[in-house]
Amino acid sequence: MTSRSRLPISFGASFRCAPTATTARGRLIGLFVVLALTLSANGAPVPSGGWRAGVARENITPPAGVWMTGYGSRDRPAEGTGQDLWAKVLAISDPSGRRAVLVTLDLCGIPREFSDAVANAVSDSHGLPRSAVMVNVSHTHCSPFLRGYLNGLRVLPPEAVARSDDYALTLRTAVTRAARAALDALQPAALAWGEDEAHFGFNRRENPEKDVAALRAAGQLKGPVDPRVPVLAVRTASGELAALLVSYACHNTTLSYFQWHGDYAGSAQRELERRHPGATVLFASGCGGDINPGPRRQVALAEQYGRDLADAADRALARPLQGIDGTLGTAFADLPLRFARVPTAAEREAARTSGEPARVAWAAAVSRDLAEKGEAILDYGYPVQAWRLGSLAWLALGGEVVVDYALRFRVEEGRSLWVFGYSNDVMAYIPSERVLREGRYEGDTSMLPYGRPSPWVPGIEEKVVQAARATLREAERAAAAPR
Ligand SMILES: [Zn+2]
């Protein structure tokens, strides 16, 4: 990984030469007067509100031979690289100098320890609080096994775990390096947001995959989806697109072959970086826990969905965007959640001797956790994070959050709230009350590959929603607090 890592990049020359506006209030006001009246050649607003931004990236593609994750069919290591995997970081700073970093990773999932380790390192070097470091994964299933994520998928040979642990160390170093580089590259910037829609995701609980193409053609797909494609555009002093964040709520599971690949989200980033030379394009997963792309399983389809997403982002960019001014506020909470029950010794023994790799791995994971923690394995500290960016708000929830949450927050909080799942810790599916009651994979049996003792206790949706509201309000207060 290290040998192929690109050096952290910063914005283009014109951006680096832009005047800074960090200290004297008079200079800040002067800058505002000059720049607020300025439009770039393409009509986009240029920096005016004292915000700054920086980007960096690292190639995190593992070597062939590291084991993959995501599917129970991962019975051997990766055989090569179909598309490089990337860690990308967008650092931002508001007019008062409050900073935050968004880390996006072309990975399937991460344990909480990983995002905390990166946040701690950034805190040590740059003084950011935990709430100001947000880590989101794209959920590509053509990515490496990491200890602590999907522990119940398969029992790996010890040498496979050792190789993965080696990779995890270099990954952590690379992501930390990128986060620090992005913070060190902060330059005056104009931030603005908008949205469009993409429609390659479908509700996988409500539609048989083999029928998806026909149902879509007939307009007969069933079940809730969230077609929104929110975009955040970061422009330089000369109006060039320096960074673009794109989000979509859909499993990144077009592909299942034994090559590293970013799937549709990786293809969308590549396509948008091709269309916008010099821009760093980041992808953040929305609440797509029960949404799949379809049809699947061909590289050409991953590329097609990548283009669909890129087209949606470009349509959003072509319309007037809403500028971000105001200030930044961040908040982070650990919500106590609980699994319903400890499996009996008989249940674990039946799984251990079943001969089914996933059940064997689940029994091993749960038995190990039980031996370490006893009944405390039922308690889980669930990460809920919120950022306020002027008029825009971001909510970053851990786990594979189903689409009901995004749709509910849209009604309750409006379009200026974006909801990300797969953030900071991917520990299990996060079903809505409806999905928990219905059970099936996202509400029940997915706890097996996740190595968890049982489904969540009822009441999870209301707990998550209440904690999210409280964290959003805390981020608002933090944004409004004098510095
Ligand atoms: Zn998933």
PDB file of all heavy atoms in Angstrom, residues 409-427:
ATOM      1  N   PHE A 409     -36.453  11.236   8.757  1.00  0.00           N
ATOM      2  CA  PHE A 409     -35.762  12.503   9.047  1.00  0.00           C
ATOM      3  C   PHE A 409     -36.077  13.559   7.995  1.00  0.00           C
ATOM      4  O   PHE A 409     -36.122  14.745   8.291  1.00  0.00           O
ATOM      5  CB  PHE A 409     -34.251  12.287   9.136  1.00  0.00           C
ATOM      6  CG  PHE A 409     -33.812  11.688  10.435  1.00  0.00           C
ATOM      7  CD1 PHE A 409     -33.158  10.468  10.470  1.00  0.00           C
ATOM      8  CD2 PHE A 409     -34.054  12.348  11.633  1.00  0.00           C
ATOM      9  CE1 PHE A 409     -32.749   9.912  11.674  1.00  0.00           C
ATOM     10  CE2 PHE A 409     -33.646  11.801  12.842  1.00  0.00           C
ATOM     11  CZ  PHE A 409     -32.996  10.575  12.866  1.00  0.00           C
ATOM     12  N   ARG A 410     -36.295  13.117   6.761  1.00  0.00           N
ATOM     13  CA  ARG A 410     -36.636  14.078   5.703  1.00  0.00           C
ATOM     14  C   ARG A 410     -37.937  14.793   6.052  1.00  0.00           C
ATOM     15  O   ARG A 410     -38.077  16.000   5.873  1.00  0.00           O
ATOM     16  CB  ARG A 410     -36.763  13.328   4.386  1.00  0.00           C
ATOM     17  CG  ARG A 410     -37.172  14.181   3.208  1.00  0.00           C
ATOM     18  CD  ARG A 410     -36.019  15.037   2.748  1.00  0.00           C
ATOM     19  NE  ARG A 410     -36.256  15.592   1.435  1.00  0.00           N
ATOM     20  CZ  ARG A 410     -35.302  15.842   0.553  1.00  0.00           C
ATOM     21  NH1 ARG A 410     -34.054  15.600   0.876  1.00  0.00           N
ATOM     22  NH2 ARG A 410     -35.573  16.359  -0.621  1.00  0.00           N
ATOM     23  N   VAL A 411     -38.903  14.023   6.561  1.00  0.00           N
ATOM     24  CA  VAL A 411     -40.185  14.606   6.948  1.00  0.00           C
ATOM     25  C   VAL A 411     -40.002  15.515   8.166  1.00  0.00           C
ATOM     26  O   VAL A 411     -40.533  16.617   8.219  1.00  0.00           O
ATOM     27  CB  VAL A 411     -41.205  13.485   7.257  1.00  0.00           C
ATOM     28  CG1 VAL A 411     -42.469  14.062   7.893  1.00  0.00           C
ATOM     29  CG2 VAL A 411     -41.544  12.719   5.992  1.00  0.00           C
ATOM     30  N   GLU A 412     -39.216  15.036   9.133  1.00  0.00           N
ATOM     31  CA  GLU A 412     -39.142  15.756  10.414  1.00  0.00           C
ATOM     32  C   GLU A 412     -38.176  16.934  10.383  1.00  0.00           C
ATOM     33  O   GLU A 412     -38.348  17.890  11.130  1.00  0.00           O
ATOM     34  CB  GLU A 412     -38.733  14.773  11.526  1.00  0.00           C
ATOM     35  CG  GLU A 412     -39.793  13.710  11.758  1.00  0.00           C
ATOM     36  CD  GLU A 412     -39.429  12.745  12.877  1.00  0.00           C
ATOM     37  OE1 GLU A 412     -38.343  12.901  13.474  1.00  0.00           O
ATOM     38  OE2 GLU A 412     -40.228  11.832  13.124  1.00  0.00           O
ATOM     39  N   GLU A 413     -37.121  16.844   9.562  1.00  0.00           N
ATOM     40  CA  GLU A 413     -36.074  17.876   9.614  1.00  0.00           C
ATOM     41  C   GLU A 413     -35.915  18.644   8.304  1.00  0.00           C
ATOM     42  O   GLU A 413     -35.196  19.639   8.261  1.00  0.00           O
ATOM     43  CB  GLU A 413     -34.725  17.237   9.984  1.00  0.00           C
ATOM     44  CG  GLU A 413     -34.710  16.510  11.325  1.00  0.00           C
ATOM     45  CD  GLU A 413     -34.450  17.454  12.505  1.00  0.00           C
ATOM     46  OE1 GLU A 413     -33.966  18.575  12.281  1.00  0.00           O
ATOM     47  OE2 GLU A 413     -34.747  17.053  13.641  1.00  0.00           O
ATOM     48  N   GLY A 414     -36.520  18.151   7.216  1.00  0.00           N
ATOM     49  CA  GLY A 414     -36.431  18.876   5.953  1.00  0.00           C
ATOM     50  C   GLY A 414     -35.209  18.506   5.134  1.00  0.00           C
ATOM     51  O   GLY A 414     -34.384  17.697   5.535  1.00  0.00           O
ATOM     52  N   ARG A 415     -35.094  19.137   3.965  1.00  0.00           N
ATOM     53  CA  ARG A 415     -34.068  18.728   2.998  1.00  0.00           C
ATOM     54  C   ARG A 415     -32.685  19.245   3.338  1.00  0.00           C
ATOM     55  O   ARG A 415     -31.699  18.837   2.715  1.00  0.00           O
ATOM     56  CB  ARG A 415     -34.460  19.157   1.582  1.00  0.00           C
ATOM     57  CG  ARG A 415     -34.505  20.659   1.360  1.00  0.00           C
ATOM     58  CD  ARG A 415     -35.058  20.982  -0.021  1.00  0.00           C
ATOM     59  NE  ARG A 415     -34.120  20.708  -1.089  1.00  0.00           N
ATOM     60  CZ  ARG A 415     -33.192  21.576  -1.520  1.00  0.00           C
ATOM     61  NH1 ARG A 415     -33.075  22.761  -0.954  1.00  0.00           N
ATOM     62  NH2 ARG A 415     -32.390  21.257  -2.509  1.00  0.00           N
ATOM     63  N   SER A 416     -32.585  20.146   4.309  1.00  0.00           N
ATOM     64  CA  SER A 416     -31.254  20.652   4.659  1.00  0.00           C
ATOM     65  C   SER A 416     -30.532  19.724   5.635  1.00  0.00           C
ATOM     66  O   SER A 416     -29.459  20.050   6.119  1.00  0.00           O
ATOM     67  CB  SER A 416     -31.346  22.055   5.242  1.00  0.00           C
ATOM     68  OG  SER A 416     -32.113  22.036   6.420  1.00  0.00           O
ATOM     69  N   LEU A 417     -31.120  18.557   5.928  1.00  0.00           N
ATOM     70  CA  LEU A 417     -30.417  17.530   6.713  1.00  0.00           C
ATOM     71  C   LEU A 417     -30.070  16.357   5.802  1.00  0.00           C
ATOM     72  O   LEU A 417     -30.934  15.802   5.136  1.00  0.00           O
ATOM     73  CB  LEU A 417     -31.296  17.020   7.865  1.00  0.00           C
ATOM     74  CG  LEU A 417     -30.689  15.830   8.630  1.00  0.00           C
ATOM     75  CD1 LEU A 417     -29.443  16.246   9.404  1.00  0.00           C
ATOM     76  CD2 LEU A 417     -31.708  15.196   9.564  1.00  0.00           C
ATOM     77  N   TRP A 418     -28.796  15.999   5.786  1.00  0.00           N
ATOM     78  CA  TRP A 418     -28.363  14.779   5.094  1.00  0.00           C
ATOM     79  C   TRP A 418     -28.110  13.723   6.161  1.00  0.00           C
ATOM     80  O   TRP A 418     -27.508  14.014   7.199  1.00  0.00           O
ATOM     81  CB  TRP A 418     -27.058  14.975   4.353  1.00  0.00           C
ATOM     82  CG  TRP A 418     -27.029  16.041   3.317  1.00  0.00           C
ATOM     83  CD1 TRP A 418     -28.021  16.946   2.998  1.00  0.00           C
ATOM     84  CD2 TRP A 418     -25.931  16.346   2.462  1.00  0.00           C
ATOM     85  NE1 TRP A 418     -27.584  17.774   2.002  1.00  0.00           N
ATOM     86  CE2 TRP A 418     -26.312  17.439   1.652  1.00  0.00           C
ATOM     87  CE3 TRP A 418     -24.660  15.800   2.302  1.00  0.00           C
ATOM     88  CZ2 TRP A 418     -25.460  17.991   0.697  1.00  0.00           C
ATOM     89  CZ3 TRP A 418     -23.808  16.350   1.354  1.00  0.00           C
ATOM     90  CH2 TRP A 418     -24.222  17.429   0.554  1.00  0.00           C
ATOM     91  N   VAL A 419     -28.528  12.508   5.883  1.00  0.00           N
ATOM     92  CA  VAL A 419     -28.302  11.430   6.839  1.00  0.00           C
ATOM     93  C   VAL A 419     -27.370  10.389   6.213  1.00  0.00           C
ATOM     94  O   VAL A 419     -27.692   9.807   5.173  1.00  0.00           O
ATOM     95  CB  VAL A 419     -29.623  10.763   7.269  1.00  0.00           C
ATOM     96  CG1 VAL A 419     -29.361   9.792   8.415  1.00  0.00           C
ATOM     97  CG2 VAL A 419     -30.645  11.811   7.689  1.00  0.00           C
ATOM     98  N   PHE A 420     -26.233  10.178   6.831  1.00  0.00           N
ATOM     99  CA  PHE A 420     -25.302   9.131   6.416  1.00  0.00           C
ATOM    100  C   PHE A 420     -25.458   7.928   7.348  1.00  0.00           C
ATOM    101  O   PHE A 420     -25.602   8.090   8.566  1.00  0.00           O
ATOM    102  CB  PHE A 420     -23.847   9.598   6.517  1.00  0.00           C
ATOM    103  CG  PHE A 420     -23.530  10.848   5.734  1.00  0.00           C
ATOM    104  CD1 PHE A 420     -22.820  11.882   6.322  1.00  0.00           C
ATOM    105  CD2 PHE A 420     -23.930  10.993   4.418  1.00  0.00           C
ATOM    106  CE1 PHE A 420     -22.506  13.039   5.610  1.00  0.00           C
ATOM    107  CE2 PHE A 420     -23.622  12.142   3.690  1.00  0.00           C
ATOM    108  CZ  PHE A 420     -22.910  13.169   4.295  1.00  0.00           C
ATOM    109  N   GLY A 421     -25.427   6.717   6.789  1.00  0.00           N
ATOM    110  CA  GLY A 421     -25.245   5.519   7.604  1.00  0.00           C
ATOM    111  C   GLY A 421     -23.776   5.128   7.517  1.00  0.00           C
ATOM    112  O   GLY A 421     -22.922   5.923   7.103  1.00  0.00           O
ATOM    113  N   TYR A 422     -23.439   3.908   7.945  1.00  0.00           N
ATOM    114  CA  TYR A 422     -22.085   3.373   7.734  1.00  0.00           C
ATOM    115  C   TYR A 422     -20.995   4.328   8.236  1.00  0.00           C
ATOM    116  O   TYR A 422     -19.962   4.500   7.592  1.00  0.00           O
ATOM    117  CB  TYR A 422     -21.862   3.058   6.242  1.00  0.00           C
ATOM    118  CG  TYR A 422     -22.870   2.062   5.694  1.00  0.00           C
ATOM    119  CD1 TYR A 422     -24.096   2.475   5.179  1.00  0.00           C
ATOM    120  CD2 TYR A 422     -22.601   0.699   5.729  1.00  0.00           C
ATOM    121  CE1 TYR A 422     -25.028   1.558   4.692  1.00  0.00           C
ATOM    122  CE2 TYR A 422     -23.521  -0.224   5.240  1.00  0.00           C
ATOM    123  CZ  TYR A 422     -24.729   0.209   4.719  1.00  0.00           C
ATOM    124  OH  TYR A 422     -25.642  -0.692   4.248  1.00  0.00           O
ATOM    125  N   SER A 423     -21.245   4.963   9.362  1.00  0.00           N
ATOM    126  CA  SER A 423     -20.328   5.986   9.848  1.00  0.00           C
ATOM    127  C   SER A 423     -19.740   5.618  11.199  1.00  0.00           C
ATOM    128  O   SER A 423     -20.468   5.207  12.113  1.00  0.00           O
ATOM    129  CB  SER A 423     -21.066   7.326   9.980  1.00  0.00           C
ATOM    130  OG  SER A 423     -21.539   7.756   8.722  1.00  0.00           O
ATOM    131  N   ASN A 424     -18.430   5.730  11.294  1.00  0.00           N
ATOM    132  CA  ASN A 424     -17.657   5.589  12.530  1.00  0.00           C
ATOM    133  C   ASN A 424     -17.562   4.168  13.073  1.00  0.00           C
ATOM    134  O   ASN A 424     -16.597   3.828  13.758  1.00  0.00           O
ATOM    135  CB  ASN A 424     -18.197   6.522  13.634  1.00  0.00           C
ATOM    136  CG  ASN A 424     -18.065   7.989  13.245  1.00  0.00           C
ATOM    137  OD1 ASN A 424     -16.967   8.444  12.921  1.00  0.00           O
ATOM    138  ND2 ASN A 424     -19.167   8.721  13.249  1.00  0.00           N
ATOM    139  N   ASP A 425     -18.534   3.339  12.790  1.00  0.00           N
ATOM    140  CA  ASP A 425     -18.563   1.967  13.307  1.00  0.00           C
ATOM    141  C   ASP A 425     -19.659   1.219  12.549  1.00  0.00           C
ATOM    142  O   ASP A 425     -20.801   1.681  12.522  1.00  0.00           O
ATOM    143  CB  ASP A 425     -18.885   1.989  14.812  1.00  0.00           C
ATOM    144  CG  ASP A 425     -18.905   0.600  15.443  1.00  0.00           C
ATOM    145  OD1 ASP A 425     -18.586  -0.385  14.745  1.00  0.00           O
ATOM    146  OD2 ASP A 425     -19.247   0.504  16.639  1.00  0.00           O
ATOM    147  N   VAL A 426     -19.302   0.099  11.922  1.00  0.00           N
ATOM    148  CA  VAL A 426     -20.341  -0.709  11.261  1.00  0.00           C
ATOM    149  C   VAL A 426     -20.425  -2.011  12.056  1.00  0.00           C
ATOM    150  O   VAL A 426     -19.659  -2.950  11.827  1.00  0.00           O
ATOM    151  CB  VAL A 426     -20.015  -0.943   9.774  1.00  0.00           C
ATOM    152  CG1 VAL A 426     -21.175  -1.663   9.089  1.00  0.00           C
ATOM    153  CG2 VAL A 426     -19.743   0.386   9.064  1.00  0.00           C
ATOM    154  N   MET A 427     -21.339  -2.029  13.017  1.00  0.00           N
ATOM    155  CA  MET A 427     -21.412  -3.125  13.984  1.00  0.00           C
ATOM    156  C   MET A 427     -22.544  -4.105  13.709  1.00  0.00           C
ATOM    157  O   MET A 427     -22.541  -5.211  14.236  1.00  0.00           O
ATOM    158  CB  MET A 427     -21.560  -2.563  15.405  1.00  0.00           C
ATOM    159  CG  MET A 427     -22.944  -2.082  15.810  1.00  0.00           C
ATOM    160  SD  MET A 427     -23.659  -0.815  14.734  1.00  0.00           S
ATOM    161  CE  MET A 427     -22.682   0.606  15.201  1.00  0.00           C
TER     162      MET A 427
END
